[in-house]
Every structure is written in C-alpha cells, then in structure tokens.
Amino acid sequence: MQLGRAGLAWAAALLLAALGAQAAAGDFDPYRVLGVGRSSSQADIKKAYKRLAREWHPDKNKDPGAEDKFIQISKAYEILSNEEKRANFDRYGDAGDSQGYSQHQHRQFHHFHEGFYFDESFFHFPFNSERRDSSDEKYLLHFSHYINEIVPDSFKKPYLIKITSDWCFSCIHIEPVWKEVAQELEALGVGIGVVHAGYERRLAHHLGAHSTPSLLGLINGKITFFHNAVIRENLRQFVENLLPGNLVEKITDKNYIRFLSNWKKENKPHVLLFDHMPVVPLLYKLTAFAYRDYLSFGYVYVGLRGTEELSSQYNINVYTPTMMIFKEHIDKPADVVQARDMKKQLIDDFLSQNKFLMVARLTNQRLFQELCPVKKSHRQRKHCVVLLTGEGEKFAEAYETFLAFAVANTKDTLKFVHIYNDRQPEFADALLMDEEKYRGKSAVVILERRNNAGKIAYKTLEDAWQGSNEDNFILLDLLDQLRTDPGLLSSETVLADLNDELAPMFLIRWLYSMLDYISDCWDSLFHSNWREMMPLLSLLFSALFILFGTVIVQAFSDSSDTRDSSPSEKEETAAKTEKNDASFSKESNRIPKKGFVEVTELTDINYNSNLVRLRPGHMNVVLILSNSTKTALLQKFALEVYTFTGSSSLHFSFLSLDKHREWLEYLLEFAQDAAPIPNQYDKHFLERDYTGYVLALNGHKKYFCLFKPHRSGDEGGTLGSCEDYDSSLHTETRGKSSCSPGSRSIKNKLHKLSFWMERLLEGSLQRFYIPSWPALD
C-alpha cells in the first residue's frame, strides 16, 4: 500500500513538472496567431495565412513590428499546415521540433493523453503511430516516389500495396497475415508498398482508397483492388491473377518442337522449365513477366504422362528443377541450370546472361541500342557485325555460315546481328553505298555507334557475303586489325531509327484497350463503393437523357414540319438549305487573316465546356497573364501559335492571374520539379510572377503540360525592337497598343513557344497528371 502511494506521488510530481514545462513553452499558440479555431480545416488555415501574410509582409507594412509578426505568422502556418506537427501541438503544446525538456519528456513519457506520461507499454495500447510495426517502414511510399519509380517499375513486376492509418482496428487485425505474405511474396519478386493515409492523403486519394485498411495490386500502371478475406491463400491468388494468363505455355511431347521452332518468328530465345509441380509455380510466372520482352517461356510437368520423350531427349533429372535456354539450335540447349531450391537471384543471373539470340535480328530501335551500345570511352569499344540479308531460301546459306562464324567467335566486345533489307530499307541504304553491287545478295558491315543521335563509324566488306572460307578469313582478319587499329572504320553516317517490325496493328491495340476498359467497368460495377460509382452512373444517365431527349424532340419537330409545310414551301426550304450550306462551306474553308487567333478568356462560366468536358483528343492551350501584361502577351501569343490553328483539336484561351492565382498554384503543385512552389520564407513568394506560363490542358485524361517563360535575356535580337504586329485577337483587348516601356521584355517571355507547341503535338512533352480538375471560383 505504501509502495502504491509512493508510486502515485511520484507520478503526480512528474505530471506537475510536465504541466509546468508545457505552460512555459505554451506562450506561442499558432491558432491564436492565425485567428482560427482548433477544428478549422486546412482550407480555412491556408486562407487565414494568406490574408495575414499579405497584411504583415515587411515590404508592404511599414510597422516596426511587421517583420516579427510576419515570422510568427509563417511559423504558425508551418505548424498547422503539417498534419504531424499540428497533431503534436494539439497533444503536447509543442510541434515536436523544439529542444530541451519538452523533447526529453516526449522521449521518456511519450503521450500525455494516451499514457498519462507513463510509457505506453504500461497500458499495452497499440493504436498510436509510434507503435506501428517497424517492418512497414521500409515499404512506405510517398507520392513522388510512387509516380516516378513505382509506376514505371510495375511494368516489370506486380506490386501489392496496403493502405493503413492510425486508430485502425482492422489494420491491426490483418497485420500478422500481411507481414507473412509480404515477406514471402517479396522473396519471389513482388513489389511491396505501404501508404499511410494520415500522412499521404494525396497518394491515398490518387489510388482511390477511401477507407482503411485497403489492399490493392498495381501492374502495368493499372490499379486493382482486393475484395476478399485477408488470408494467405487469397492474397497469393490475387497477385497471381494480376499477371497475364499467357505468360507460360504448357509443353508436352506433342508441341515442344513447334514451341522451340518459334525462335525465328519471335526473334527470342525460348526457355523450358522442368519441375515436378502440377501447376506452374508463381516464381516462374513472375520471372516470365519480368523477361517477357526478351524470352518466351514454357513449362514441363515431368510427372505428367506425355512428357517422357521430352525428358529423355534432353536427359532431364525428374527430381531436380531444371531450366534450359534454347537459341538458334533446338536439338541442344544453349545453357542449363539445375538446383533443388531455385531462388530468384539464381534465375535472374541465369536469364540476364541469355536474353538474346546468338545472331539476333534487329527488329526495333530498342533492341539495336541494347545490342550495339554507344561507345563510352576508348577502352570500352563495342562493335556490331551486321549481316544485311533477305528472307527466303535464297539467303539461307549465307545466314547459316554467318551464324556458324558468330558461334565460333564469341567475345564480349563483339555482337553479331542480322537485318532484313526489305523491312529496314533506310538502315540498309545508309550502309550500302553501291546498291547494284549487293542487289539480291548479302553484305556484312562492321559498325560502332558514336552517339545517341544515330551517328556511327562503319566499314562494309568489299565483296558480297557468300559464306565461303575466303569470306570467313577476310572478316576474321578485319576483326583482328580492329582490336589494334580503331581507325579501320573509316566511313561515317547517321542512321535513322529502326521500324518496330513486331508492333501490333492499330486495330489490335485499340481492341486491347477496349477490353481493358470493359474489364475496369465490370470490376467497378461489382466491387466499387457508391462514391466511386457516382461519376460512372452520372455519365451513363446523362448520355441516356441526351439520347432519348434528342430523339423525342426530333420526332415531334419532324412530324409538325411535315404537317404544316406545303410542297412548294418544302422545295423553297430545300433550296435555301443548299444555299446556306454552300455559303457555310465557303466561309469555313476561307483562309484566316495572318496573325488571327481566336483566344477566349477561361472563366467559371465556360470552364466546364472548355476544359472539364472537353472531348477526348482535344486540348486547351491556356496563356497565363495579368491586367498589365494582357495586350502584349496576347499579341505575342497569337504570332507564336498561329501556325497551329489549323488543328481542330487545339483550343486557345487565356487565364487572368489577378482572378485565379489559387487555381493556378493548386495545379502547379502537381508539376513537382518542373514548377516548384516557392518557399514560404522567401519574402517575395506572394508576388511570384506566373505571367507568360502556358498550360496545355487535356480535360478528358486529366493531365497538363507546362511551358515556363524564357528568361535567358536577349537572344537573336528578340528584344531589339517593339514590333507593331498586325494581329486581330478575338478578345476584349483588341485594338490596344502594346508598345509600353516593358512590352519588349514581356513579349520575350513567350520566346520559343512555337518549338514547345511542336513537341506538344509530337507527344514528347512531360505530362503531369491530377486526380480531378479544381473548381474555378
């Protein structure tokens, strides 16, 4: 009893000391500084901060205490705009970054509200963020990391991602299963990710996770939610179902010759996996997905009747998993690996050394760049020996002798490839100067890539390649001389990019995209919650309403016109219609006056029609300007984009920075490194000049491209004079003079905009995706 009283007295003393420390440190109240309540939203806090910052900015307010007041406002906003610091202040009266007693107190006693300044282990209270499983820390994802690394990596391996949060009872319930499955799948090659919805709200919203816990899969950039009970078997099956169904083909005695003979058609080595498991192991499927662009995979179940001939042909040990790679010759494997416990690292090392055929055919530019890399230095020279040949039996002998030569002369510095002249005519014409000499024959070229722009040094064998012993000696002698004399490659040229011979047709790509869309809609129909379903249902009902409304109105109007109009009136009407159509056709085909561009102001009235509901394939190019720069920027904008006005998919608008700065800053937050938001401690951050920015907005796909003003000074005389352009803009500012004192530097902001527009139409600009378009209030 005495011990209990002593413990209580000790706890009370600590409590009083802590409260005293908090009172001493509690003089600074960010809520009081910004004039907001503790339950205020982030939008209210941001609005209050902007209002006070404008009022107390030292450049605008000459009060002697304005600078100190501005620092307090900035510090208060820094605390309240960060959810973690705000939560720490609400709990302990401190943001968590102060030194001295409060930090020592936080380490020793943790949270006052949850643990009464006792260690949390005294109560075994597991819901606080400090008690999260440390195994999740290495899997935590952030928005930029997810966009820039995880999404591109999902084209090589699937990802299993968990959405969690604090005070989540169900998250604690699934934690043991999640830990076991994550460890198991990661060893097989599956990517694992964890998103904390409390700290990564933007990423959670982007993923479409509206509740915790949520589990989802990511593959090829596509998100699929998990909807079953969280048990080990279901999670493994979910990851397996993410993979395409045709990755691994089942091989038996009846089809193995056909499978291995496809190396020529597919231009890939073929892999056979021998194992005693009746189903294809998940490790093999994940491996096949990772290397699907380089290798074709087949699986042989050695315990199945009908594989005896195959096992005997290649002398397979039925008790040990075996992997064989076949290249140009199907009678014997090019490489073999056997192991009782086939690990992922072993398989990766084995396959990465056998990704290409002995004499691969160059079917696209990517393959050419991998097989024939650019010279890095004089010590790292790599040369490609290219056989320029044709298809059919006529060229078979030349190819076979070239293949035999390549097999006998395998070196790290040499790569042997071949190409079909009729499928890559530009490539062949650039290397064969005397086409008549090699017409109907094969030729051999030794080349070295000098840069990524297509420049190469090369030498073509003088005589056509027949595969004779003399041809072999000549080629071997040249390769020996090349090791000591790099100048042997005396000719230079620039090669155009190779055609992608194996790319699917447009109709097939469109069909695959349509099937993926139908699959997404089907999955959403049965598994998504109402919040996710509302946009789809709204779109469906809107389309039905418009369709039936149009049909009904048209039916009534046709019937009334038929009853009321006489035959003579009908003829008159038809004649007028033809006349109007002819005049409209002439008007629409009329070439516009030079410099004329129809530019409309983007306002809250036309915002939905000009952006949010813009038709697929259409883009709105928006110029950012202010009242003072309106005339000069619009005239320069018209001259820069005039040559692109012939495209019916482009619309041109301008946005007033004085009215809609917040909308623009919200959008630029998604541009990340391209347009960083200024530091709030920069005294000029409130006057950041966005005039001259140009945004290309794709309303349907929810992304935009960004043009930043040119600021490198006077180039090429662009600032030399103030031109009086004869441009007639379809805006409110028509007719105003642009030759103001600062108009020359203002117009220079749009320097090189036309080059940016060319890249926009090519599709080579960086795209910044957003979850939804913000309101233009």
Side-chain angles (χ1 to χ4, degrees):
M1 187 67 180
Q2 292 179 352
L3 181 62
R5 291 179 178 175
L8 289 175
W10 176 76
L14 288 176
L15 179 60
L16 292 173
L19 290 174
Q22 277 193 334
D27 294 338
F28 180 77
D29 185 357
Y31 293 103
R32 179 172 50 81
V33 172
L34 294 183
V36 296
R38 289 183 175 267
S39 60
S40 299
S41 64
Q42 285 293 334
D44 295 334
I45 292 173
K46 186 176 182 180
K47 190 176 298 184
Y49 165 65
K50 287 188 174 182
R51 176 177 56 80
L52 291 172
R54 290 191 184 99
E55 179 184 352
W56 292 96
H57 198 281
D59 291 346
K60 295 183 178 181
N61 195 322
K62 302 306 179 182
D63 190 295
E67 185 174 355
D68 294 337
K69 182 68 174 178
F70 183 76
I71 292 175
Q72 287 188 349
I73 293 169
S74 299
K75 183 179 179 181
Y77 180 69
E78 181 185 6
I79 294 174
L80 298 185
S81 62
N82 186 301
E83 293 294 340
E84 185 177 1
K85 291 183 178 181
R86 182 179 181 181
N88 286 337
F89 181 84
D90 291 342
R91 291 171 181 169
Y92 328 121
D94 180 51
D97 55 353
S98 59
Q99 302 296 325
Y101 177 78
S102 62
Q103 188 178 23
H104 177 70
Q105 162 197 322
H106 179 67
R107 285 199 305 266
Q108 285 192 350
F109 303 110
H110 298 282
H111 309 297
F112 171 73
H113 295 291
E114 290 88 352
F116 297 98
Y117 287 110
F118 288 106
D119 193 292
E120 285 179 0
S121 60
F122 182 81
F123 294 98
H124 302 284
F125 206 55
F127 305 117
N128 188 272
S129 59
E130 298 291 336
R131 294 294 306 273
R132 288 200 307 270
D133 195 334
S134 59
S135 62
D136 280 351
E137 295 295 331
K138 64 178 181 178
Y139 302 129
L140 287 176
L141 301 181
H142 306 285
F143 185 83
S144 59
H145 173 62
Y146 171 83
I147 295 295
N148 299 324
E149 298 183 27
I150 301 301
V151 172
D153 198 39
S154 69
F155 289 85
K156 298 178 182 178
K157 64 181 180 182
Y159 273 80
L160 183 64
I161 300 176
K162 178 183 70 170
I163 316 294
T164 185
S165 64
D166 292 336
W167 302 93
C168 174
F169 292 86
S170 300
C171 299
I172 300 168
H173 180 71
I174 69 171
E175 194 63 34
V177 179
W178 165 260
K179 185 188 300 184
E180 177 188 359
V181 173
Q183 185 177 1
E184 178 185 356
L185 293 179
E186 187 179 25
L188 298 179
V190 178
I192 305 297
V194 176
V195 177
H196 195 286
Y199 302 115
E200 285 294 331
R201 294 183 180 179
R202 181 181 176 188
L203 179 54
H205 180 73
H206 177 80
L207 295 174
H210 303 297
S211 61
T212 56
S214 293
L215 297 176
L216 58 91
L218 175 69
I219 189 169
N220 291 332
K222 176 185 174 183
I223 296 172
T224 304
F225 277 85
F226 175 78
H227 300 287
N228 296 324
V230 182
I231 58 177
R232 176 179 176 274
E233 291 74 14
N234 288 348
L235 287 173
R236 280 181 58 94
Q237 189 62 44
F238 171 69
V239 172
E240 192 165 352
N241 290 340
L242 293 175
L243 300 169
N246 57 348
L247 287 173
V248 182
E249 184 178 349
K250 295 290 185 68
I251 303 300
T252 63
D253 293 339
K254 296 180 180 180
N255 63 353
Y256 81 95
I257 295 180
R258 175 194 59 78
F259 173 75
L260 297 178
S261 300
N262 279 339
W263 67 267
K264 195 167 189 178
K265 178 182 177 182
E266 299 177 0
N267 195 36
K268 295 178 182 179
H270 282 57
V271 184
L272 281 183
L273 313 167
F274 296 84
D275 206 343
H276 56 275
M277 301 291 292
V279 296
V280 182
L282 180 58
L283 174 60
Y284 291 158
K285 289 186 177 182
L286 293 168
T287 302
F289 179 76
Y291 291 92
R292 67 191 184 282
D293 293 335
Y294 301 96
L295 303 163
S296 292
F297 288 80
Y299 180 74
V300 181
Y301 172 34
V302 294
L304 180 67
R305 180 177 297 179
T307 60
E308 296 86 355
E309 178 186 342
L310 186 57
S311 301
S312 175
Q313 171 78 14
Y314 301 114
N315 193 23
I316 299 300
N317 183 354
V318 297
Y319 301 105
T320 305
T322 305
M323 181 179 293
M324 291 184 172
I325 288 187
F326 295 83
K327 297 185 178 180
E328 284 88 347
H329 301 111
I330 67 172
D331 54 339
K332 62 178 180 179
D335 206 350
V336 182
V337 63
Q338 284 185 339
R340 291 191 177 276
D341 189 11
M342 198 77 77
K343 296 290 187 181
K344 180 181 182 299
Q345 187 61 47
L346 175 65
I347 295 176
D348 287 342
D349 293 341
F350 177 69
L351 295 181
S352 60
Q353 298 173 5
N354 294 280
K355 294 196 300 183
F356 306 105
L357 296 169
M358 296 299 298
V359 183
R361 180 161 62 92
L362 298 181
T363 56
N364 54 57
Q365 186 66 17
R366 178 188 60 81
L367 194 59
F368 180 46
Q369 292 172 348
E370 290 197 52
L371 289 172
C372 305
V374 175
K375 180 191 72 172
K376 300 296 183 183
S377 65
H378 293 287
R379 296 182 179 181
Q380 295 180 346
R381 291 181 177 273
K382 290 192 176 182
H383 301 95
C384 269
V385 185
V386 186
L387 174 67
L388 303 173
T389 185
E391 301 180 70
E393 293 296 329
K394 178 181 178 180
F395 302 93
E397 183 178 354
Y399 169 77
E400 291 295 336
T401 54
F402 185 77
L403 174 61
F405 183 89
V407 173
N409 294 274
T410 55
K411 296 178 181 178
D412 292 339
T413 57
L414 289 178
K415 288 292 184 182
F416 293 86
V417 296
H418 72 286
I419 199 167
Y420 289 156
N421 295 341
D422 56 342
R423 298 197 183 187
Q424 305 289 348
E426 294 183 1
F427 189 95
D429 293 344
L431 297 176
L432 300 179
M433 302 302 295
D434 189 358
E435 296 184 13
E436 294 296 331
K437 180 179 179 180
Y438 299 100
R439 187 178 298 278
K441 298 178 182 179
S442 300
V444 172
V445 178
I446 306 172
L447 62 85
E448 178 185 83
R449 292 182 66 212
R450 294 295 172 87
N451 58 33
N452 290 318
K455 184 178 180 180
I456 65 163
Y458 72 99
K459 181 177 181 58
T460 305
L461 268 64
E462 294 183 0
D463 298 325
W465 177 266
Q466 302 292 337
S468 62
N469 290 334
E470 184 180 357
D471 291 340
N472 280 272
F473 287 136
I474 293 175
L475 180 56
L476 188 60
D477 183 54
L478 286 175
L479 294 176
D480 286 339
Q481 294 180 40
L482 192 61
R483 289 189 298 176
T484 57
D485 183 16
L488 186 65
L489 306 181
S490 55
S491 302
E492 290 189 349
T493 188
V494 176
L495 297 176
D497 288 350
L498 295 172
N499 305 322
D500 192 350
E501 300 177 15
L502 304 179
M505 297 174 59
F506 170 76
L507 184 61
I508 297 176
R509 295 200 303 269
W510 179 84
L511 181 61
Y512 286 156
S513 300
M514 181 61 67
L515 291 176
D516 289 340
Y517 180 75
I518 294 175
S519 175
D520 292 342
C521 293
W522 183 265
D523 183 68
S524 298
L525 185 63
F526 284 95
H527 296 295
S528 298
N529 56 36
W530 283 106
R531 183 184 299 181
E532 295 170 331
M533 286 295 295
M534 283 306 295
L536 181 61
L537 293 176
S538 176
L539 179 63
L540 179 62
F541 282 112
S542 299
L544 291 176
F545 178 78
I546 294 172
L547 176 63
F548 285 106
T550 305
V551 170
I552 293 172
V553 171
Q554 186 68 28
F556 277 103
S557 62
D558 288 346
S559 61
S560 61
D561 290 346
T562 304
R563 288 194 307 268
D564 297 340
S565 61
S566 61
S568 60
E569 290 173 344
K570 289 181 182 178
E571 293 175 1
E572 240 179 0
T573 304
K576 289 181 180 179
T577 303
E578 291 177 2
K579 185 177 180 180
N580 290 338
D581 289 344
S583 63
F584 177 78
S585 176
K586 292 178 182 178
E587 186 73 21
S588 61
N589 292 330
R590 185 177 61 190
I591 299 175
K593 187 173 66 174
K594 183 175 182 180
F596 178 88
V597 180
E598 183 174 355
V599 186
T600 58
E601 182 176 5
L602 198 63
T603 64
D604 55 346
I605 299 175
N606 60 11
Y607 180 70
N608 284 336
S609 59
N610 283 4
L611 175 60
V612 178
R613 297 177 183 173
L614 206 60
R615 287 179 293 172
H618 287 239
M619 299 190 74
N620 197 338
V621 181
V622 181
L623 168 67
I624 308 300
L625 49 75
S626 62
N627 291 334
S628 59
T629 62
K630 189 173 185 179
T631 304
L633 284 180
L634 280 175
Q635 290 189 355
K636 181 63 175 176
F637 181 72
L639 289 174
E640 290 288 331
V641 303
Y642 171 74
T643 57
F644 305 95
T645 54
S647 174
S648 61
S649 62
L650 291 180
H651 308 268
F652 301 95
S653 304
F654 71 91
L655 185 80
S656 174
L657 186 63
D658 302 319
K659 301 177 184 177
H660 306 296
R661 175 181 288 268
E662 289 190 6
W663 180 88
L664 178 62
E665 289 179 349
Y666 173 85
L667 217 63
L668 292 182
E669 288 179 0
F670 294 88
Q672 300 161 354
D673 297 337
I677 300 303
N679 190 334
Q680 63 183 12
Y681 291 110
D682 182 3
K683 67 178 184 178
H684 298 296
F685 80 100
L686 290 173
E687 291 82 26
R688 183 171 178 85
D689 185 16
Y690 294 109
T691 57
Y693 278 50
V694 179
L695 305 175
L697 309 174
N698 190 315
H700 180 68
K701 292 188 176 180
K702 295 185 179 66
Y703 72 80
F704 66 93
C705 302
L706 177 64
F707 170 86
K708 297 182 69 175
H710 181 74
R711 301 183 186 275
S712 60
D714 185 6
E715 292 182 12
T718 56
L719 304 180
S721 63
C722 180
E723 299 89 354
D724 185 13
Y725 297 118
D726 182 18
S727 61
S728 178
L729 296 173
H730 189 66
T731 61
E732 300 175 357
T733 61
R734 186 182 304 173
K736 294 184 181 179
S737 174
S738 63
C739 285
S740 57
S743 63
R744 288 178 296 178
S745 58
I746 292 173
K747 288 183 177 180
N748 191 49
K749 287 187 174 185
L750 298 181
H751 182 53
K752 295 185 179 181
L753 176 61
S754 58
F755 297 104
W756 182 83
M757 290 291 298
E758 290 179 0
R759 293 185 60 196
L760 174 67
L761 294 180
E762 292 171 358
S764 58
L765 290 176
Q766 184 178 4
R767 298 177 178 180
F768 305 103
Y769 288 86
I770 65 173
S772 61
W773 294 109
L776 190 69
D777 296 326

